[in-house]
Amino acid sequence: MLEATQTATIDHKALKADSRKKRVKQFIRALFSRKIVLVSAVGILFFILVALLAPVIAPYDPNEAFFADSLAQPSAKYLLGTDMHGRDVLSRIIYGSRVSLVVGLFAVLIACVIGTFLGLVSGYAGGLVDDVITRISEAIRAIPQVVLAMALTAVFGGGIVNLSIILGISNVVAYVRMMRGQVLTIKESDYVMAAKLQGNSSLRLMLTHILPNSVSPIIVLMTQQVGATILAEAGLSFLGLGISAPTASWGSIVNEGRTYLLQNPVYALVPGICVAVLVIFLNTFGDGVRDALDPRLRGDI
């Protein structure tokens, strides 16, 4: 009898593992079924590799100044020319990709963790807790994201760490609203009620039964917000409120280069194009993730 029970348990685990692998394969197949999503994924991977390999592929130190070659035109020596201090523009753009990706990813992670937690607690607890979190979220949501980020940056200063935290805080509300809506729907499900009747604690219910079943739209929101966050970082850096000199950032390079558009248009245009292309890749990939996680679009329903 014991052996039969153990065999049934092993078979059940094997079936669950096979089912999980099947779902993963189905998701990957659905995600890359469109060529534009595959191209976007390759483009994002390219930018990530550029950021990781910056010390290897950058021809010069991004902060090394060659004053004799100030505002040099694109040439074999400087492929994209130099800035007003004689620093190689290509090297600064390559290193600037690190700043954009780090700020974008960390800000989204901060927003996701805080917003998901608050939305989970708000939707599950209800009552006064829900009212307080909802009202605070609505108050923050009433302030435009860029204005809020500008105000916080003016108070706490720029820099990669501060900017990541500030942009993360300004994006929290979206996750709170998304997670709260998911929890309000799922917590009344039969399997949640059954788990509650079995004596599971509220924390176990939230983390084991509710959170895993409401994470799909959160993943989609994360992939879509990375691009928006990178764009916000570039905008703040362009205004002089984000990454401070001499750290290379695409937004700050555009700000520096706009004065010299007639002398060397590449100086400002290339980092602006990099921002636009990366954001387009991220948004397209986010749309692909959304479609792949939607059973109706996959044809499961």
Side-chain angles (χ1 to χ4, degrees):
M1 184 68 180
L2 180 60
E3 293 181 358
T5 304
Q6 291 177 342
T7 303
T9 303
I10 294 172
D11 290 342
H12 179 67
K13 290 181 178 179
L15 287 173
K16 285 184 67 175
D18 291 340
S19 177
R20 193 180 298 113
K21 289 180 181 179
K22 184 178 180 181
R23 288 198 300 271
V24 170
K25 290 180 180 179
Q26 188 179 25
F27 169 75
I28 294 174
R29 191 182 305 113
L31 178 61
F32 295 115
S33 60
R34 292 189 297 166
K35 291 183 179 179
I36 189 171
V37 177
L38 180 60
V39 171
S40 299
V42 172
I44 294 169
L45 181 60
F46 169 77
F47 279 104
I48 292 173
L49 289 176
V50 167
L52 292 175
L53 300 176
V56 178
I57 62 178
Y60 300 95
D61 186 314
N63 298 322
E64 186 177 2
F66 303 95
F67 293 104
D69 296 327
S70 177
L71 293 174
Q73 295 294 316
S75 63
K77 184 178 181 180
Y78 306 109
L79 294 180
L80 297 180
T82 61
D83 63 9
M84 63 281 198
H85 300 297
R87 297 173 297 192
D88 182 53
V89 172
L90 176 60
S91 298
R92 291 184 63 77
I93 290 174
I94 290 173
Y95 273 87
S97 63
R98 286 184 157 190
V99 173
S100 294
L101 288 170
V102 167
V103 171
L105 291 174
F106 273 104
V108 167
L109 285 175
I110 291 170
C112 178
V113 171
I114 297 175
T116 299
F117 172 76
L118 292 176
L120 187 61
V121 172
S122 175
Y124 185 83
L128 180 61
V129 174
D130 185 29
D131 289 340
V132 170
I133 295 176
T134 302
R135 296 298 173 265
I136 294 175
S137 299
E138 289 176 352
I140 296 175
R141 185 169 175 263
I143 307 172
Q145 179 188 353
V146 176
V147 175
L148 177 62
M150 289 175 63
L152 293 174
T153 305
V155 173
F156 298 105
I160 294 177
V161 176
N162 284 354
L163 200 57
S164 298
I165 296 172
I166 288 167
L167 290 175
I169 292 172
S170 64
N171 283 325
V172 163
V173 176
Y175 293 91
V176 174
R177 290 168 59 85
M178 176 73 75
M179 193 65 192
R180 178 179 177 272
Q182 289 291 112
V183 174
L184 289 175
T185 302
I186 294 173
K187 75 174 185 177
E188 302 298 334
S189 301
D190 293 340
Y191 62 88
V192 176
M193 300 301 295
K196 187 181 296 185
L197 292 173
Q198 289 176 355
N200 289 286
S201 64
S202 296
L203 182 61
R204 181 175 177 80
L205 286 172
M206 287 190 290
L207 297 180
T208 306
H209 298 283
I210 296 177
L211 181 60
N213 290 287
S214 44
V215 75
S216 295
I218 298 297
I219 294 174
V220 174
L221 185 60
M222 287 180 66
T223 56
Q224 293 178 335
Q225 280 208 330
V226 172
T229 305
I230 289 174
L231 196 60
E233 178 275 320
L236 290 173
S237 298
F238 177 81
L239 296 172
L241 297 172
I243 305 301
S244 56
T247 304
S249 166
W250 287 345
S252 60
I253 296 174
V254 173
N255 185 32
E256 295 168 357
R258 65 188 175 89
T259 310
Y260 306 100
L261 277 173
L262 296 180
Q263 293 96 320
N264 184 9
V266 174
Y267 184 3
L269 291 178
V270 173
I273 291 172
C274 287
V275 173
V277 171
L278 179 56
V279 170
I280 290 171
F281 282 157
L282 287 166
N283 288 342
T284 304
F285 186 76
D287 290 341
V289 173
R290 178 199 62 201
D291 296 345
L293 290 173
D294 191 333
R296 293 169 300 178
L297 297 175
R298 288 201 311 260
D300 293 351
I301 295 178

